[in-house]
Amino acid sequence: MMKKKASPAPARVLPSRTVSKRAAGPSAKAQVIRFAVIGDSHVGYGNSSGIFKNLLPKAVSGVKPGFVIFGGDNAQAGADHGNHADAYYKDFKNTVLSTLGSIPYKASIGNWEASTRPLFTKYLGAVSGQMNFPGTQGKVKYVWLNCALGQFSSASLALLNKLDDKHFYVIDFHWPLKIAGITVEPSHVLSQSETSKFFMAIPPKARNRVLAIFTHHGHLFYRKLDHIYPGFATTKFFVCGCSGDYKCKPNGDRGYYDAALTMNGNQVSIDAFRVKVV
């Protein structure tokens, strides 16, 4: 009787160990690329430069990110008719370079930079474009667009038209889309027409390849994680807070997104979590 009772025990233990090993396999092979998303630094306004110099090191401390996204209104360049724009851009870029070191970054253009586009290009590069998302071996593309004045440029829409089903995409631009239920002040959200123009510019075959859309301008954090628009069932949509002094409450939505891009075989996903910085 003892042998009959004891004999099934090993059979129960072994399958559970096998399942455990199988469950651990995919996660062990998964590649996770950390990145930070920072918006509305407004360097040049009030104490924005000091706030940005305090916030940026926190965003890249701990687990070193493989990429940093700056979402526009990086500098308060359009103030005073652009008289101090060069100094503001230089201040912003000097802080970025001294803090990030070798960490790659890309900045989008915001409404406060629209009137100083040549200087934006000089210090921060093209106002729209596409590149390999660092660390993904070209599997994921990073796309940044120009909607600085509340309308997408023709070059930006042309980029969207070329998205394919061979890659995954992370997209960034300054103004939030008009998503159902969004809590951003309506004056700081794109029109329904521009929102529709954006979504319709993406070919149907690429719509389930858009992992996440990061936007800014609203000076608060907001996110919607599925069904943001018909045909985009799995795309995640984010609005970022701010990292400066301009219309940003010290105890409110000042901070950044700590984000992770996970690649596991043919599966790619994005997660992003708000980090508040007083």
Side-chain angles (χ1 to χ4, degrees):
M1 294 295 291
M2 291 298 294
K3 288 182 179 180
K4 289 181 180 179
K5 289 182 179 179
S7 60
R12 289 173 186 166
V13 173
L14 288 174
S16 66
R17 286 177 180 168
T18 304
V19 170
S20 177
K21 288 180 180 178
R22 287 175 181 170
S27 60
K29 296 178 182 178
Q31 179 185 3
V32 180
I33 300 162
R34 296 285 288 274
F35 65 101
V37 184
I38 300 170
D40 291 277
S41 303
H42 291 276
V43 169
Y45 176 87
N47 188 37
S48 288
S49 180
I51 292 169
F52 184 56
K53 286 179 171 68
N54 172 62
L55 183 147
L56 186 58
K58 295 177 180 178
V60 300
S61 64
V63 179
K64 184 178 179 181
F67 189 41
V68 178
I69 295 170
F70 295 105
D73 282 358
N74 312 287
Q76 194 83 351
D80 302 321
H81 304 288
N83 291 334
H84 298 91
D86 192 272
Y88 296 161
Y89 278 120
K90 190 176 295 183
D91 185 7
F92 175 84
K93 187 166 185 179
N94 286 344
T95 299
V96 169
L97 293 179
S98 63
T99 306
L100 299 191
S102 61
I103 300 172
Y105 68 93
K106 186 65 192 84
S108 299
I109 188 169
N111 53 290
W112 278 97
E113 296 154 327
S115 63
T116 59
R117 179 169 168 169
L119 284 174
F120 179 96
T121 303
K122 174 184 175 182
Y123 285 102
L124 299 175
V127 298
S128 62
Q130 176 178 287
M131 59 183 276
N132 289 338
F133 197 103
T136 66
Q137 297 78 49
K139 177 178 286 189
V140 181
K141 300 290 185 180
Y142 175 65
V143 181
W144 68 99
L145 306 177
N146 175 13
C147 64
L149 293 178
Q151 293 182 317
F152 288 103
S153 67
S154 57
S156 295
L157 295 174
L159 280 170
L160 295 177
N161 286 331
K162 294 178 181 177
L163 301 190
D164 57 42
D165 58 357
K166 298 179 178 63
H167 304 89
F168 292 94
Y169 300 95
V170 176
I171 304 176
D172 183 89
F173 47 90
H174 190 60
W175 285 65
L177 298 163
K178 189 173 185 179
I179 300 297
I182 191 169
T183 57
V184 179
E185 166 63 37
S187 65
H188 281 59
V189 175
L190 289 171
S191 68
Q192 187 61 61
S193 174
E194 285 299 310
T195 297
S196 298
K197 191 182 297 183
F198 167 83
F199 284 115
M200 295 308 293
I202 299 174
K205 65 181 180 180
R207 292 176 183 177
N208 66 347
R209 310 289 284 189
V210 180
L211 300 172
I213 300 165
F214 288 96
T215 64
H216 310 269
H217 192 47
H219 293 202
L220 58 76
F221 286 96
Y222 171 85
R223 65 180 189 168
K224 184 173 174 58
L225 303 182
D226 54 36
H227 295 92
I228 63 172
Y229 193 84
F232 293 81
T234 60
T235 302
K236 297 180 179 180
F237 173 72
F238 300 92
V239 180
C240 194
C242 49
S243 57
D245 202 23
Y246 181 75
K247 295 185 178 180
C248 183
K249 298 176 182 178
N251 296 316
D253 286 316
R254 182 178 290 166
Y256 61 94
Y257 276 121
D258 175 17
L261 187 156
T262 302
M263 298 195 302
N264 192 348
N266 293 324
Q267 301 297 314
V268 185
S269 62
I270 292 277
D271 287 305
F273 302 94
R274 175 178 69 173
V275 179
K276 293 180 68 172
V277 178
V278 178

